[in-house]
Amino acid sequence: MSDRLPPILDVAELRALEARHAGEPLMERAGAAAAAVARELAGDRGGPVVVLAGPGNNGGDAFVVARLLRADFHDVRVVFAGDPARLPPDAAAAHRAYTAAGGTTVEAPDRVRPALVVDGLFGIGLARPVAPPYAAQVEWANACGAPVLALDAPSGLDAATGQAHAPCVRAFATATFIALKPGLLTGDGPDLCGRVSVHALGIDAGDGAQGHRLDWPALAAALPPVLARRARNVNKGTFGTLGVIGGTEGMGGALLLAGRAAMRAGVGKAWLGFLAAQPPPFDPAMPELMLRHAGAVVDGEPDALVVGPGLSTSDAARAVLARALAAPVPVALDADALNLIARDAALQDAVRTRGAATLATPHPGEAARLLGSDVATVQRDRLAAARAIAARLHAGVVLKGLGSVLAHADGTWDINASGGPALATAGSGDVLAGILGALLAQRVDAKTALRVAVCVHGAAADALVAQGVGPLGLTASELPDVARRLLNAAACGT
């Protein structure tokens, strides 16, 4: 499936790939690709195109853009506060070509309102705050009222992590080169990059890439065959039994949300195991669910388990979690199951030594507890945090949030592109856990199950927003029906 998904390269991978293609005119190609985007954005808005050229290779890309736009008779004004003698070789050559064609530079932008600003200050080459005099240029670009096209990445955004260092360019569009970078897709990146276009520059970045962007259309084109329901000689046992454990007093809704989502994601049977002393006799909204005590669900030997929705961190919760971890079936860990594991070395050992697949779905707070860290540290490098949890637990992990980061047991990773602020609502994670558990119970492999569950969960929210249901006020209980529709449309053509 990875060959269908856009590759993401971390900065080290990108630099290595650039080194292997050092003899090719990559800067000229990048400038030409960005100039085409700039022409489209500038259109007939009127006013000059102001190009901010930095002191490194991102500035070289900017000089190519400026030269090509001038050749098309655009009014181009280049702001360059650096020293031409200190530019890297390729950027120096781009500067010479620009000036040889009659181009000039100024050290600071003037008061004219531009049609477009091209941010060629730092791109992916900076992982610290932008310093003077370039900080003033960033602030001017954000305040000038014109759209900004960022080259490779908005200046001030760490392309490796998605952390923004103030001041940071807020781009209308970003033309990124060779491949996507993690920081464009998670953390602050999606809010600052605007519309992202990828320009390969004649290089195949997909060969051997460890990271990929998850897009629902790409995943939907290659769903696991079990979801298509093509075989007719089947019964409910064919599609597995999922046990979902949690639902302490006052938290039964989390368990019900997960169970309802699991049924709509195709599991044959769903057993809900309540920690509450007296489980409800049935779910009137979905009487197909079988409601039991938590221990009875583990004893029933389901095909997969989800532990965590509404679980609590009580002694009884710890005991049932330990029993679930000993079961020889795939287990998805969510919510308080992760909080229990974070503070208990014996449970951590039990997770690490499991023979069956384990998946974990932490939000940043839970991730911080698992790592003995804090939320701010997790959010500063979400990819590193997800990979660290995966290594610590020997599990597949999704670190939830904008640009959810998936880290898999085989060392590969993904960043999900579906979803958005509509998912920031109570119960959304319970729905995700239920969908994930349903896929595991249907014997979908752990990596594929995690990818599909996370992406269709976000795609369901996107579809609801497109219909006018949200983002404000979208509720978690509205997601499963739409996820079911998306899965059926993709897998069955309905």
Side-chain angles (χ1 to χ4, degrees):
M1 183 183 293
S2 293
D3 59 349
R4 298 174 180 267
L5 301 173
I8 311 171
L9 299 184
D10 62 31
V11 174
E13 289 175 310
L14 181 70
R15 296 305 189 206
L17 191 57
E18 287 175 333
R20 292 198 295 272
H21 293 267
E24 300 176 33
L26 299 183
M27 186 170 288
E28 190 69 21
R29 294 174 187 171
V37 178
R39 292 185 195 101
E40 175 190 345
L41 294 178
D44 57 359
R45 293 170 54 87
V49 176
V50 175
V51 178
L52 307 179
N57 282 325
N58 200 238
D61 297 336
F63 283 120
V64 176
V65 172
R67 190 189 83 237
L68 296 176
L69 292 179
R70 286 188 79 253
D72 287 341
F73 305 103
H74 284 275
D75 179 5
V76 178
R77 304 182 189 184
V78 176
V79 179
F80 177 56
D83 180 355
R86 301 183 66 180
L87 286 168
D90 287 348
H95 176 266
R96 288 193 299 271
Y98 169 71
T99 56
T104 60
T105 67
V106 295
E107 291 190 357
D110 58 28
R111 294 181 179 274
V112 67
R113 178 167 178 160
L116 176 71
V117 176
V118 177
D119 165 29
L121 291 174
F122 294 102
I124 68 169
L126 196 68
R128 63 181 186 278
V130 176
Y134 303 105
Q137 295 182 31
V138 170
E139 292 167 349
W140 172 84
N142 288 338
C144 73
V148 180
L149 169 64
L151 305 185
D152 225 3
S155 294
L157 178 70
D158 189 328
T161 67
Q163 182 185 13
H165 300 281
C168 184
V169 166
R170 183 173 293 274
F172 177 82
T174 298
T176 200
F177 307 128
I178 300 179
L180 291 162
K181 291 85 183 174
L184 308 186
L185 303 172
T186 193
D188 297 314
D191 283 331
L192 295 171
C193 291
R195 185 184 73 195
V196 177
S197 57
V198 182
H199 308 274
L201 311 187
I203 297 175
D204 180 7
D207 187 20
Q210 295 298 294
H212 296 87
R213 183 181 69 192
L214 301 185
D215 298 295
W216 179 243
L219 280 179
L223 288 179
V226 66
L227 302 181
R229 298 299 200 257
R230 292 191 178 92
R232 299 173 66 186
N233 186 20
V234 295
N235 57 62
K236 61 189 176 184
T238 307
F239 305 116
T241 298
L242 174 66
V244 190
I245 295 172
T248 193
E249 276 81 6
M251 297 292 288
L255 204 58
L256 293 172
L257 280 170
R260 294 170 185 174
M263 291 299 295
R264 285 176 171 85
V267 73
K269 295 182 287 182
W271 300 337
L272 304 192
F274 284 80
L275 276 177
Q278 294 188 349
F282 71 101
D283 177 9
M286 185 173 278
E288 300 89 346
L289 294 170
M290 289 171 270
L291 279 51
R292 306 179 176 187
H293 287 286
V297 169
V298 179
D299 292 340
E301 300 182 354
D303 297 296
L305 283 162
V306 171
V307 187
L311 184 67
S312 84
T313 56
S314 67
D315 290 343
R318 187 206 179 280
V320 77
L321 172 59
R323 291 175 60 191
L325 292 174
V329 298
V331 173
L333 303 168
D334 184 45
D336 275 333
L338 298 172
N339 292 326
L340 284 165
I341 290 164
R343 69 188 196 189
D344 191 315
L347 288 177
Q348 291 174 32
D349 287 340
V351 174
R352 278 193 294 266
T353 57
R354 296 193 76 244
T358 309
L359 297 170
T361 62
H363 60 51
E366 292 154 356
R369 290 186 278 275
L370 287 167
L371 293 171
S373 181
D374 56 73
V375 171
T377 299
V378 167
Q379 293 293 78
R380 276 198 294 269
D381 194 340
R382 289 168 49 78
L383 176 57
R387 296 173 85 172
I389 296 169
R392 183 167 296 189
L393 297 182
H394 295 176
V397 171
V398 53
L399 174 56
K400 295 182 287 194
L402 180 57
S404 290
V405 180
L406 289 67
H408 304 290
D410 61 5
T412 60
W413 50 274
D414 306 303
I415 300 179
N416 184 47
S418 67
L423 291 174
T425 185
S428 175
D430 303 314
V431 170
L432 172 61
I435 296 171
L436 177 57
L439 297 173
L440 293 173
Q442 291 173 84
R443 301 169 184 85
V444 176
D445 70 273
K447 180 176 181 178
T448 302
L450 191 61
R451 281 176 157 177
V452 172
V454 170
C455 198
V456 77
H457 179 254
D462 292 340
L464 283 164
V465 170
Q467 297 165 16
V469 183
L472 184 149
L474 187 149
T475 61
S477 59
E478 294 173 288
L479 295 167
D481 281 343
V482 183
R484 175 178 62 185
R485 175 169 58 80
L486 293 172
L487 289 168
N488 275 311
C492 312
T494 61

